Amino acid sequence: MAANPKTPAREAWTADGSDLKSNPEFDRVFERFYSLDERRRVTREDYKSYVRDSWRQLYEACRALHIPGTDLPSEQLFNNDTLPTYVDHSCGSKEFLYGKGSRPGILSLKSRLGAPLLVEEEKGIRDASKKRVAGQSSKGAKRARTSGGYSLTIVNATADIEDVLRDSHFLSVRDPEVPRPDAERLVTPTVGNRKQILAAYRGELRSIADAIYNRKFKKPLNKANLPSTSKERKAWLQLADSEIKTARASVHFHLGDAGSPAKAKQLRLAAYRLKLSRALYMVGLLSGEPAASATEVQDALRERLEDWILHEQAWNAGDRHLQMRAGLTQDTFDQLQYNIAERDANISKWRDLQNELGGTAPTGTDTDSASPSTDTPILTEEQIKNGKAILNDIMFPTIRYRSTYREHQKIARERLTGQPIPEWTYKPVVNPFLAGGPPGWETLPTGTCWERLQLMWVMTSWRVYQLRELEP
């Protein structure tokens, strides 16, 4: 081992440095932290309170273990150069452990908390700090194609968005059929979903479409709202990639457990969010001048297939659960079985296309190809601004009360002077914690004291990081 005898917290670790010295107080703090997910969270203030209490429990854990709290999650999570890799890379991956470029991994944190690292662990950190994504071809490309004819243009990418939004238009099963984009525009179409399900989910589908398509991407079917330069495209891809990662993690989380109508619904909604986010990514990638590189487009085509596969798997899982319902008519059962078979056929074809493109895309684990092909983190300027503002509100909550007091003063003055009082409108809040944690968070072990603290640190950091999704 390569120990650091000068680290102030070294005495908090066991003699061989393999674990932290536990104590009953830390165990009690960990139990309180674990119980935070049992709380009901609906409003924006609920979400902020959830993050605040998570941070406080982590702080108490550090005090109980006699380790420094100087590295507690804070504004470094809203800096593209210091964003820890353990908030957006798969738990257990090389990036999660060693970091990437200037971004620290979990082993760097462990070292700062006083733990001696193995020689190979220190080497892994050094190698990761030098790592950069290989340079891309300078030749632009508006289309990539496999030998099987799989390619995509801006027209096809736009059709994908139209197809996804179509699913949110059904008020009831009696509504007339809304035609999908024609076969010439729609490339590798997913199997059409039953109107009964789409009508039942309409409110949630519209909410997802409003949050992502309308508010985050400003209705990009209007060409004027698409990126026109490489800089605008880069910001667009960063935002879309963030949405894709969140949706992928949610699909993987629910995919193995669609055993009730409520769970099947959550899985299908996550798949809808994933398909919409990927469609928006593709339309942004194929916009702007100079064009994206051929390698970027090819990587995105492969990842698009993976997300389409996840979409089909999610709907198949929901349909298989539905087939087990008592009282299901034979016609409905047969239709579900037909849809399942069609989706399985799609998955098989798309796997072949992926192989033509040079391998498979991520299936829940992050690799370099899961992000845009430049070594830029995923935070946009707006997300940085939002995250810092809400974090400041959480750490200094009295500011919020002053703001509320001023609002009440304004209403009182308007009543006294007879002026019209602005109508209060309810704005639905998108839950930024649906994924539960970073990709693969369920696999984090809790057997040792360090593993339990690691879980608290990773989850609290991820929760703080998710504040970027709330409106300040």
Side-chain angles (χ1 to χ4, degrees):
M1 286 192 177
N4 180 4
K6 295 183 180 180
T7 304
R10 178 62 182 91
E11 60 271 17
W13 295 77
T14 56
D16 62 359
S18 61
D19 196 13
L20 285 159
K21 299 174 184 176
S22 186
N23 60 64
E25 177 58 26
F26 171 70
D27 295 336
R28 287 191 289 270
V29 172
F30 181 74
E31 289 301 319
R32 291 197 297 271
F33 179 87
Y34 218 76
S35 67
L36 289 177
D37 280 332
E38 298 173 5
R39 296 185 185 178
R40 183 171 178 267
R41 299 187 299 274
V42 178
T43 68
R44 182 173 175 275
E45 293 305 317
D46 291 339
Y47 297 137
K48 289 164 62 177
S49 176
Y50 176 59
V51 174
R52 183 185 299 116
D53 291 342
S54 182
W55 192 94
R56 284 175 176 168
Q57 296 303 327
L58 178 60
Y59 173 76
E60 291 297 329
C62 291
R63 288 188 60 186
L65 294 168
H66 307 292
I67 58 177
T70 52
D71 286 297
L72 283 170
S74 61
E75 287 193 353
Q76 83 267 27
L77 290 162
F78 303 110
N79 183 317
N80 280 329
D81 294 325
T82 58
L83 173 66
T85 53
Y86 45 81
V87 300
D88 64 337
H89 284 269
S90 288
C91 299
S93 67
K94 288 183 178 180
E95 292 85 358
F96 175 89
L97 293 171
Y98 303 114
K100 182 179 179 182
S102 63
R103 300 174 58 193
I106 198 68
L107 288 177
S108 294
L109 171 68
K110 186 178 181 181
S111 177
R112 290 198 303 272
L113 296 181
L117 299 182
L118 298 172
V119 173
E120 52 266 33
E121 290 175 335
E122 292 187 335
K123 181 179 183 299
I125 294 173
R126 288 196 300 271
D127 291 345
S129 68
K130 302 172 186 176
K131 186 176 181 181
R132 292 290 185 272
V133 178
Q136 305 299 321
S137 168
S138 59
K139 183 179 179 180
K142 288 289 186 180
R143 175 189 289 266
R145 182 186 295 275
T146 68
S147 60
Y150 170 50
S151 64
L152 211 69
T153 66
I154 187 69
V155 173
N156 306 133
T158 301
D160 280 343
I161 296 177
E162 293 173 3
D163 192 44
V164 179
L165 296 179
R166 166 190 174 274
D167 281 356
S168 66
H169 289 168
F170 296 102
L171 285 168
S172 74
V173 294
R174 293 183 295 276
D175 281 2
E177 191 67 34
V178 179
R180 301 178 74 178
D182 60 64
E184 291 184 1
R185 296 176 60 218
L186 203 56
V187 175
T188 60
T190 57
V191 173
N193 299 315
R194 295 168 63 241
K195 277 199 296 186
Q196 291 90 333
I197 299 294
L198 298 177
Y201 294 175
R202 182 177 183 270
E204 290 84 356
L205 295 174
R206 293 295 293 271
S207 178
I208 293 171
D210 180 62
I212 300 176
Y213 174 77
N214 290 343
R215 287 193 274 158
K216 288 195 175 180
F217 288 91
K218 315 300 181 188
K219 299 183 179 180
L221 289 185
N222 178 348
K223 189 175 180 180
N225 293 331
L226 290 173
S228 59
T229 66
S230 59
K231 182 178 180 180
E232 290 176 354
R233 181 172 65 234
K234 176 181 172 182
W236 180 290
L237 296 183
Q238 289 174 352
L239 183 58
D241 189 59
S242 176
E243 288 294 331
I244 289 168
K245 287 181 177 179
T246 299
R248 271 184 187 166
S250 185
V251 171
H252 281 288
F253 176 73
H254 294 288
L255 194 54
D257 186 22
S260 71
K263 291 178 178 178
K265 180 178 181 179
Q266 289 301 314
L267 175 59
R268 286 166 169 156
L269 292 176
Y272 178 83
R273 185 185 190 107
L274 175 61
K275 189 178 178 185
L276 176 58
S277 300
R278 172 54 65 185
L280 287 163
Y281 184 98
M282 297 305 299
V283 81
L285 180 67
L286 296 171
S287 301
E289 295 292 343
S293 72
T295 304
E296 282 182 288
V297 177
Q298 183 123 330
D299 287 345
L301 282 174
R302 185 176 61 248
E303 292 173 18
R304 174 182 176 274
L305 288 173
E306 188 61 40
D307 292 333
W308 261 224
I309 287 170
L310 279 175
H311 178 275
E312 300 294 69
Q313 290 174 334
W315 278 84
N316 270 0
D319 282 0
R320 289 191 177 100
H321 165 71
L322 190 56
Q323 282 183 314
M324 294 187 290
R325 280 179 52 182
L328 197 68
T329 67
Q330 187 63 45
D331 285 346
T332 301
F333 183 92
D334 291 344
Q335 182 62 53
L336 292 171
Q337 190 60 39
Y338 175 80
N339 288 349
I340 290 170
E342 288 291 293
R343 293 191 190 102
D344 284 340
N346 277 346
I347 292 169
S348 178
K349 285 188 299 184
W350 297 341
R351 288 293 186 206
D352 290 341
L353 289 178
Q354 278 185 325
N355 291 335
E356 287 187 35
L357 286 165
T360 58
T363 57
T365 59
D366 285 335
T367 65
D368 290 336
S369 63
S371 302
S373 301
T374 54
D375 198 17
T376 54
I378 60 176
L379 285 169
T380 65
E381 290 183 9
E382 183 179 359
Q383 289 176 324
I384 291 172
K385 181 180 177 181
N386 283 0
K388 287 183 176 180
I390 298 172
L391 178 62
N392 186 68
D393 197 8
I394 286 174
M395 305 309 288
F396 306 100
T398 53
I399 296 175
R400 171 170 53 85
Y401 298 131
R402 291 173 191 158
S403 175
T404 303
Y405 176 69
R406 286 195 296 269
E407 290 173 8
H408 285 302
Q409 277 188 320
K410 182 179 179 182
I411 292 173
R413 281 197 304 270
E414 288 167 343
R415 280 180 175 161
L416 288 171
T417 58
Q419 298 179 30
I421 300 172
E423 290 187 10
W424 181 83
T425 55
Y426 171 74
K427 294 178 68 175
V429 181
V430 177
N431 182 358
F433 307 113
L434 277 176
W441 66 273
E442 308 96 321
T443 64
L444 286 172
T446 56
T448 67
C449 183
W450 158 244
E451 287 170 347
R452 291 193 292 278
L453 180 67
Q454 175 186 247
L455 173 71
M456 294 179 69
W457 209 292
V458 169
M459 296 303 291
T460 299
S461 298
W462 180 82
R463 289 164 186 169
V464 172
Y465 177 60
Q466 293 303 105
L467 293 175
R468 73 196 192 284
E469 301 295 339
L470 290 176
E471 292 185 6

